[in-house]
Amino acid sequence: QKEVEQDPGPLSVPEGAIVSLNCTYSNSAFQYFMWYRQYSRKGPELLMYTYSSGNKEDGRFTAQVDKSSKYISLFIRDSQPSDSATYLCAMSSTGNYGQNFVFGPGTRLSVLP
Amino acid sequence: SAVISQKPSRDICQRGTSLTIQCQVDSQVTMMFWYRQQPGQSLTLIATANQGSEATYESGFVIDKFPISRPNLTFSTLTVSNMSPEDSSIYLCSVEGGNTIYFGEGSWLTVV
C-alpha cells in the first residue's frame, strides 16, 4: 500500500459545482496536512494547512481531516474556471532531522465554463 | 511564507549537456530542498541542502548527477549533469516553514 493515495482523476465539473478532492494515508504518525494547487508547469502553491482532525475554511475552500479514518478532503464551493489545476495533498510527520513530507500523486481538475 | 525565486524558469537542453538551476529565498533558512516532478507524476525529493555541509541525497539520486551548492543561508544551486531525455522534468526548490513547505515557481527542463 502506498503511503498516500489520492483520487486519480481527471475530474471535470461545470462552473459553480461543489468539488470534493480526497486522499487516504497509511502512516498514523502524520500530524500536519496540506493541500497544494499546481497550475500547468508551475510550482505547487500552498492552499490550505491543517493540524489535527476537523474542518478549516478559507473562502470557497474547506479542508477536512479525519485522523481516525486516515482520510483528508478538500472541498471547493462555487468552482470557477480559474480553479482548473492539479491539486496535491501532502502530509508530514516529525523525523530525526525535521519534518518528513509525503505528497499524493495529484488530481487534475477542470472546471468548465 | 517565504518568497522563492528560481532561474531559469524553463529551458530546452541538448542531451549530454549540464544545466545549473539557481534558487534564491527572501529570508535566511537552514534547510533547502530540491524536488523533481516528472511529467504527470508527483514530487520526488532529490536532496536536502544545509548551509556549510554536503547535501543529503535520497535513494536513487547521486551527487555526480545532481551536484548541489549551498554557499549561504538564502541561496542554492542544483546542477543536472550529462542530461538525457529522462531528465525532462520540473525541478523545484523549496523551504520549510511553520510545519509546512513552500515551493518556488519551478524550472521546467526539456532535454532533446
Side-chain angles (χ1 to χ4, degrees), chain A residues 12-89:
Chain A
S12 288
V13 301
E15 183 174 355
I18 296 174
V19 176
S20 171
L21 303 166
N22 307 295
C23 284
T24 58
Y25 62 94
S26 57
N27 186 351
S28 58
F30 288 137
Q31 301 168 298
Y32 303 96
F33 304 90
M34 292 140 274
W35 285 96
Y36 290 85
R37 178 175 61 196
Q38 185 176 24
Y39 292 115
S40 182
R41 300 188 184 107
K42 296 290 187 182
E45 169 196 8
L46 181 66
L47 266 183
M48 301 284 287
Y49 159 70
T50 56
Y51 171 70
S52 79
S53 288
N55 292 353
K56 182 177 182 179
E57 190 172 318
D58 184 2
R60 296 185 295 110
F61 299 91
T62 299
Q64 188 175 81
V65 174
D66 183 345
K67 292 181 77 174
S68 62
S69 301
K70 298 189 180 70
Y71 189 91
I72 70 170
S73 298
L74 177 71
F75 298 97
I76 307 174
R77 290 186 300 280
D78 187 25
S79 55
Q80 302 295 309
S82 59
D83 295 327
S84 299
T86 297
Y87 290 80
L88 302 166
C89 65

Side-chain angles (χ1 to χ4, degrees), chain B residues 59-97:
Chain B
S59 175
F61 297 96
V62 295
I63 188 171
D64 289 346
K65 176 67 175 177
F66 298 101
I68 288 171
S69 78
R70 183 79 202 274
N72 58 51
L73 291 172
T74 63
F75 187 78
S76 179
T77 67
L78 169 75
T79 299
V80 187
S81 303
N82 188 24
M83 285 186 283
S84 67
E86 292 71 36
D87 294 318
S88 297
S89 294
I90 299 174
Y91 291 86
L92 294 157
C93 173
S94 64
V95 302
E96 201 177 313

